[in-house]
Amino acid sequence: MTRRAVLAGTGSALPRTRVSNAELAERVDTSDEWIVERTGIRFRHIAEPDETTATLGADAAREALKAAGLSPADIGLIIVATATPDNTFPATATKVQALLGAPDCIAFDVAAVCSGFLYAVSVADSMLRTGAAEHALVIGSETFSRILDWEDRTTCVLFGDGAGAVVLSAKDVADDQGILATRLHAEGQYCDMLYVDGGPSTTGTVGHVRMQGREVFRHAVTNLANVLGEVLADVGLKAEDIDWVVPHQANKRIIDATAKKLGLPADHVVLTVDQHANTSAASVPLALDLAVRDGRIKRGDLVVLEAMGGGFTWGAAVLRV
Ligand SMILES: CC(C)(COP(=O)(O)OP(=O)(O)OC[C@H]1O[C@@H](n2cnc3c(N)ncnc32)[C@H](O)[C@@H]1OP(=O)(O)O)[C@@H](O)C(=O)NCCC(=O)NCCS
């Protein structure tokens, strides 16, 4: 038996307003055909003014706590992965803590953009195994609509808002249970390929998303296939051992190309990009929650999570749920 971080519950939350490609095409020079063909996206949810990264994160967290049969008072660690915090400070995790009514615990944010949830899971895994807490809330929550340039059709059609959360619990389990391995990477020399052109220390503004789409696409397929290979090798497993891949939902073509490179059948890949678009750090936990709730992912399944984002940063995790 080994002390490991085990998935105890999942949850998610989406803003009330859902926007189709056709609705978007009324205000942006684009079309449903172009968006579907290049990305697989059909809908995205857009936050109303009263819906923020903290409120969406707290809603997702409540669902995850319910699924785990725990209350806010049981939580010793809250990590929010986000690139769109409610405020520059304090950490959105502390706002989520307040909204949940959780007492004194560890709470902080992780900034790794679209791979933020993988970074947060890896940090929580380490902290749970070394005894910093018994139960952790790991949340990916974003309101990317607030940092999109709605005049730039090359980026604004790609993103959406939402939140996903998991409860990870420290347990003494067999060696093949819980989070088995995580791998993280960053290559800062590519930080200009996907970034926000503002910030407190530079422009003093919030800024907007800027991206060299083709370059991001090329790096994403290579990096994601490599990191999936690494994390599987770490635990002595092969692509055919995987029950479900829950990929970052940036673009269906990236997901398909990565799966093909690894020889993964498409019906073992959870796909939500058509419904949610790219929700950055929220995309993996949102997709995970959906597949758990609709019964695709079951107890005992071997699940692989992966994501890549601005920085570039990327990572993967393999777990037995
Ligand atoms: C963004 C992306 C979909 C663009 O697809 P692409 O095939 O590379 O398309 P290009 O950027 O070369 O643009 C092709 C044409 O479509 C046009 N176009 C761009 N956005 C458009 C839109 N929303 N609607 C209609 N036309 C559009 C371009 O202006 C260009 O027109 P031109 O040939 O007349 O100049 C693709 O590069 C991509 O998915 N990249 C990865 C993005 C991503 O996932 N980022 C997040 C990672 S975390």
Side-chain angles (χ1 to χ4, degrees):
M1 301 287 264
T2 317
R3 184 177 163 101
R4 282 191 187 279
V6 171
L7 183 70
T10 65
S12 60
L14 288 162
R16 296 185 293 278
T17 304
R18 190 171 84 147
V19 178
S20 69
N21 291 344
E23 288 168 299
L24 205 58
E26 286 168 17
R27 54 193 276 210
V28 180
D29 179 19
T30 189
S31 67
D32 179 51
E33 295 71 32
W34 192 95
I35 301 173
V36 172
E37 190 198 314
R38 303 286 174 132
T39 70
I41 295 165
R42 292 178 187 277
F43 298 95
R44 74 281 296 138
H45 290 251
I46 302 290
E48 297 290 340
D50 66 319
E51 295 170 313
T52 71
T53 295
T55 68
L56 292 166
D59 288 346
R62 283 187 199 96
E63 292 290 311
L65 283 168
K66 208 160 123 192
L70 295 173
S71 76
D74 297 316
I75 296 299
L77 168 66
I78 301 173
I79 308 180
V80 174
T82 190
T84 48
D86 278 25
N87 302 81
T88 302
F89 79 82
T92 300
T94 61
K95 295 189 84 171
V96 169
Q97 178 193 13
L99 287 167
L100 295 176
D104 180 7
C105 69
I106 307 166
F108 60 93
D109 290 358
V110 160
V113 208
C114 297
S115 48
F117 184 73
L118 269 300
Y119 268 72
V121 162
S122 182
V123 171
D125 175 42
S126 299
M127 292 181 75
L128 288 168
R129 280 191 286 111
T130 52
E134 292 301 310
H135 303 285
L137 262 173
V138 184
I139 302 163
S141 186
E142 302 277 17
T143 45
F144 249 59
S145 62
R146 313 273 213 256
I147 56 165
L148 294 175
D149 176 353
W150 290 98
E151 302 293 310
D152 176 11
R153 66 176 184 173
T154 68
T155 51
C156 74
V157 303
L158 303 174
F159 295 91
D161 301 334
V166 298
V167 174
L168 297 177
S169 297
K171 275 200 181 147
D172 288 319
V173 290
D175 275 351
D176 63 347
Q177 301 296 308
I179 295 179
L180 305 179
T182 63
R183 282 273 191 152
L184 301 174
H185 292 275
E187 279 184 343
Q189 71 264 37
Y190 298 116
C191 62
D192 291 342
M193 289 194 177
L194 176 53
Y195 68 105
V196 167
D197 62 2
S201 180
T202 49
T203 58
T205 62
V206 172
H208 293 114
V209 174
R210 305 291 174 212
M211 178 175 70
Q212 295 178 34
R214 288 207 162 189
E215 285 304 306
V216 175
F217 194 106
R218 198 168 58 79
H219 282 271
V221 176
T222 306
N223 290 342
L224 290 171
N226 286 347
V227 76
L228 284 171
E230 282 171 11
V231 87
L232 286 174
D234 285 345
V235 291
L237 293 170
K238 298 195 172 61
E240 54 263 36
D241 299 318
I242 301 172
D243 293 300
W244 290 102
V245 180
V246 184
H248 173 45
Q249 310 283 326
N251 183 320
K252 186 173 182 303
R253 283 158 61 217
I254 294 178
I255 294 171
D256 290 347
T258 308
K260 198 170 161 203
K261 230 177 165 181
L262 276 171
L264 284 164
D267 58 356
H268 287 243
V269 179
V270 178
L271 208 68
T272 57
V273 67
D274 56 332
Q275 299 299 314
H276 302 158
N278 181 349
T279 58
S280 185
S283 95
V284 169
L286 253 169
L288 177 67
D289 182 53
L290 198 89
V292 166
R293 281 176 195 269
D294 70 18
R296 274 179 288 173
I297 295 179
K298 298 181 193 64
R299 282 267 161 244
D301 279 355
L302 190 75
V303 177
V304 173
L305 317 176
E306 51 94 323
M308 142 112 187
F312 292 134
T313 57
W314 67 102
V318 54
L319 63 152
R320 179 86 59 187
V321 297

